[in-house]
Amino acid sequence: MNIIPRPFETKVKDGNTCFSASTRVNCDFDIIKSELNFLDFEEGEVNNITFKIGDTDFDYELTIDGDITVVAKTEEGLFHGCQTLKQLIFDGYRDGVATLENCVIKDKPRFPYRSFMLDIVRHFFDKEVIKGLIDILALVKINRFHLHLSDNQGYRVESTVFPALNEKANFRPGTKGDGVPVGGYLTKDDVREIVAYAGERFIEVVPEVDLPGHTLAFLLAMPELGCTGEQYAPTESYGIDDRILCAGNEKVYDFIEKLLTELSELFPSKYFHLGGDEVPKSQWRQCKKCQELMAREHLNDCEELQGYFTNRVINILKSLGKTPIVWNEALYSGILDDSAICQYWSDGKKATAVRDALASGRKMYVSRTFPYYIDYPHGMNKLKSTYNFEPTSCFKGVSAENIDENIMGVECPLWTEWVADVDKLHRQAFPRTIAVAETGWSTPEKDYKDFEERLYNVLGMLEAYEIGYTHPKKANPNPFKALGETLAFLTNMIEPAAIKSLINARDAKKGMKK
Ligand code: ACM
Ligand code: ZN
């Protein structure tokens, strides 16, 4: 049956069942009733569809046998059952009536954390674009939307506590001298609307404020929070910047506490991402305040200073009732608070630190660059590679119990340095996000051909929602095309600032202990 993610158990039975305008809907949940109303239906056979809370060992059970019944312990399970049913209805829809194969589906997720990330800093995308994405994420049972809200290029939420952030840190005159201005931010009302829209669809919006690196935007608005106090100009480049928040200045912690408090009032999520990736320490090494703090706190090097800084932010988040998430570089100080969940993205020899952390019980989810970075061209991360990737394969040598207990799930991040419009955003996101959704939900067996066959039905639904995508053929380019796409992507990155970024990247890795 053409369902993505593939359900845990599907038994097809004899006969068909009709879904039409004559099907009586018995359901106490408005969101489910409105979700079912996604096509124009004509009158047909009279029958019943019933969504009811009941006892089951599964997330939901769907029975189609003349009538349609969905049973789940929670409204969330019923919503998931409804998404499965929507795909079947779409597949069987002809001339105003859907004909469904009789079946019994018993379904449950493999991982509890199934996430998509959007960077709204490098290019800004508004609430309507975000809600459009949420519709598709819900359809494939993704349950987290990670919003990357701050970076060198901007801070993208209205702040009434620090209005300077919106006045001075939301705009750049162009990118690499192209003269095309980029700006914008979500108002507080926009955020409330997005959070509510996602919440109705059982998706938690997880905000990220990237700290202490990727923070030039804060210094544009408040230069006194940097090590030098210098007033910088907005950057027109990407990459890794060494102009970061000063770790030795108490005013910085004060600022972070107020900012995170303001955001926590807007984002009710259990989780809060505090970044921690790519932190060059050159300014910290030169800064009197940072050095004095290191002496006072008996910190041996700047890596431990990042650990100290991050732990203070974690304490702020804990006081706000949040569970912190960090990118994997934050592990490398060796003193990171145990409560922080690690988002594993960067590979290479430092991956041993990630494995060690998992082996010692740190919670983690996987968004490894290859093949989960969906901002990369398909030539670099083919749909097939993204689909076939087994997230636990990164952790060879770690016990199965540890993996079972501590790998929470998966995420595909969509960075937007090179994604300036909605069409491209959709083509990068889909269908690769759909492949990751299946990995997050379904049992680990993979058969790409079978996945692609099931995919066309969901792609038809994207068309109905007016959401773009890359055709599977183009999403799996041949080696020649793949090389062309890769070279074009890398060439695009070449600029004078890229050399500085590479130096900063080296510096960011310098102090790593493992
Ligand atoms: C990252 O890609 N810098 C987390
Ligand atoms: Zn400093």
Side-chain angles (χ1 to χ4, degrees):
M1 297 178 103
N2 291 328
I3 305 166
I4 293 183
R6 190 186 62 240
F8 184 81
E9 189 185 295
T10 302
K11 289 201 174 114
V12 177
K13 308 264 170 153
D14 287 342
N16 292 318
T17 295
C18 188
F19 184 86
S20 72
S22 309
T23 303
R24 281 189 297 257
V25 181
N26 308 304
C27 178
D28 295 334
F29 304 104
D30 290 343
I31 182 69
I32 292 176
K33 279 192 266 189
S34 73
E35 283 279 306
L36 282 176
N37 207 9
F38 71 116
L39 293 169
D40 289 328
F41 292 104
E42 308 268 325
E43 299 294 320
E45 241 170 69
V46 176
N47 60 356
N48 284 291
I49 177 162
T50 307
F51 287 83
K52 60 180 185 206
I53 300 288
D55 201 26
T56 162
D57 292 335
F58 292 86
D59 182 59
Y60 68 90
E61 294 185 36
L62 164 64
T63 306
I64 303 178
D65 61 357
D67 290 319
I68 302 168
T69 313
V70 184
V71 178
K73 277 204 279 274
T74 61
E75 185 186 349
E76 182 177 6
L78 293 179
F79 184 83
H80 291 150
C82 173
Q83 298 308 314
T84 300
L85 187 59
K86 267 178 83 172
Q87 294 186 22
L88 293 175
I89 290 172
F90 188 82
D91 201 23
Y93 181 82
R94 306 279 177 280
D95 304 325
V97 171
T99 307
L100 314 176
E101 265 183 304
N102 286 349
C103 65
V104 177
I105 292 175
K106 296 183 178 178
D107 203 3
K108 59 182 181 182
R110 176 182 181 197
F111 291 117
Y113 205 94
R114 306 178 297 279
S115 183
F116 168 86
M117 188 206 88
L118 182 65
D119 166 11
I120 57 166
V121 181
R122 272 52 174 273
H123 284 97
F124 178 66
F125 293 95
D126 66 19
K127 68 173 179 194
E128 293 309 327
V129 176
I130 292 172
K131 283 162 68 181
L133 292 169
I134 287 171
D135 287 336
I136 309 305
L137 302 179
L139 184 65
V140 292
K141 304 185 179 80
I142 281 180
N143 64 355
R144 299 285 176 334
F145 193 122
H146 170 183
L147 255 187
H148 186 76
L149 293 172
S150 69
D151 212 298
N152 298 322
Q153 294 76 11
Y155 176 76
R156 302 280 186 221
V157 188
E158 177 185 5
S159 176
T160 43
V161 181
F162 299 106
L165 289 176
N166 302 134
E167 287 151 17
K168 298 183 183 160
N170 276 122
F171 179 81
R172 69 174 185 271
T175 305
K176 293 202 297 177
D178 68 4
V180 180
V182 176
Y185 58 88
L186 299 172
T187 65
K188 290 192 174 188
D189 279 345
D190 291 342
V191 172
R192 288 186 195 103
E193 194 176 322
I194 291 166
V195 165
Y197 192 84
E200 278 183 329
R201 288 156 182 78
F202 300 92
I203 294 175
E204 181 181 58
V205 182
V206 178
E208 178 189 354
V209 175
D210 204 344
L211 298 165
H214 289 271
T215 44
L216 184 65
F218 296 141
L219 304 186
L220 299 182
M222 286 165 267
E224 66 277 16
L225 301 183
C227 287
T228 67
E230 207 178 317
Q231 174 70 67
Y232 302 117
T235 179
E236 293 213 5
S237 302
Y238 300 125
I240 302 172
D241 209 299
D242 58 358
R243 297 168 293 179
I244 67 173
L245 290 173
C246 177
N249 184 347
E250 279 306 306
K251 279 195 187 139
V252 167
Y253 300 99
D254 214 46
F255 161 72
I256 292 172
E257 178 154 20
K258 291 194 173 100
L259 189 74
L260 299 189
T261 303
E262 185 180 33
L263 281 171
S264 293
E265 283 161 11
L266 278 178
F267 291 93
S269 59
K270 171 175 176 205
Y271 300 101
F272 199 112
H273 204 306
L274 64 89
D277 58 322
E278 300 175 327
V279 187
K281 314 290 193 308
S282 49
Q283 289 202 333
W284 286 2
R285 279 195 293 274
Q286 304 296 322
C287 170
K288 192 160 163 276
K289 285 201 186 92
C290 286
Q291 292 301 315
E292 280 171 2
L293 174 76
M294 284 171 66
R296 226 171 31 245
E297 295 292 330
H298 310 289
L299 302 170
N300 292 311
D301 53 32
C302 284
E303 207 58 48
E304 287 190 10
L305 182 54
Q306 185 179 343
Y308 167 90
F309 176 100
T310 305
N311 286 344
R312 283 195 61 175
V313 180
I314 286 173
N315 282 337
I316 294 170
L317 286 174
K318 280 187 187 168
S319 75
L320 294 167
K322 302 292 184 185
T323 301
I325 302 175
V326 294
W327 297 104
N328 57 241
E329 290 96 317
L331 293 174
Y332 302 145
S333 68
I335 57 171
L336 181 70
D337 190 276
D338 286 341
S339 66
I341 291 163
C342 170
Q343 177 167 3
Y344 170 44
W345 73 280
S346 57
D347 209 355
K349 52 184 188 228
K350 310 300 175 204
T352 51
V354 178
R355 281 194 281 274
D356 290 352
L358 181 67
S360 54
R362 180 160 316 263
K363 297 275 181 212
M364 208 164 282
Y365 62 90
V366 175
S367 65
R368 210 177 66 178
T369 314
F370 297 105
Y372 274 4
Y373 269 34
I374 56 172
D375 52 314
Y376 283 19
H378 293 91
M380 292 171 84
N381 280 333
K382 293 188 176 69
L383 171 62
K384 197 170 180 175
S385 326
T386 305
Y387 178 70
N388 281 330
F389 179 63
E390 167 48 44
T392 63
S393 68
C394 307
F395 305 108
K396 298 225 160 64
V398 180
S399 72
E401 295 81 55
N402 248 324
I403 287 177
D404 277 356
E405 201 160 306
N406 297 314
I407 296 292
M408 301 161 62
V410 288
E411 177 183 290
C412 47
L414 210 174
W415 302 99
T416 56
E417 284 96 333
W418 313 110
V419 181
D421 59 69
V422 181
D423 281 350
K424 177 143 193 217
L425 174 65
H426 289 164
R427 281 184 276 115
Q428 295 298 123
F430 304 116
R432 288 182 291 191
T433 301
I434 300 168
V436 176
E438 175 144 313
T439 300
W441 182 276
S442 308
T443 53
E445 306 80 54
K446 290 287 167 71
D447 175 347
Y448 175 76
K449 232 174 131 243
D450 170 69
F451 169 73
E452 193 181 307
E453 274 166 24
R454 286 181 283 120
L455 182 58
Y456 289 103
N457 184 48
V458 178
L459 295 181
M461 296 183 81
L462 264 67
E463 281 170 30
Y465 279 104
E466 298 185 348
I467 300 282
Y469 60 86
T470 298
H471 191 279
K473 269 207 180 71
K474 274 200 167 164
N476 292 307
N478 65 38
F480 186 70
K481 275 214 168 116
L483 182 65
E485 285 182 17
T486 306
L487 290 176
F489 185 75
L490 297 177
T491 310
N492 206 16
M493 290 168 125
I494 296 172
E495 57 165 330
I499 297 167
K500 184 72 173 51
S501 175
L502 285 174
I503 295 167
N504 289 337
R506 274 182 73 85
D507 187 63
K509 288 183 184 156
K510 213 170 178 166
M512 290 178 182
K513 304 246 166 66
K514 296 199 170 185

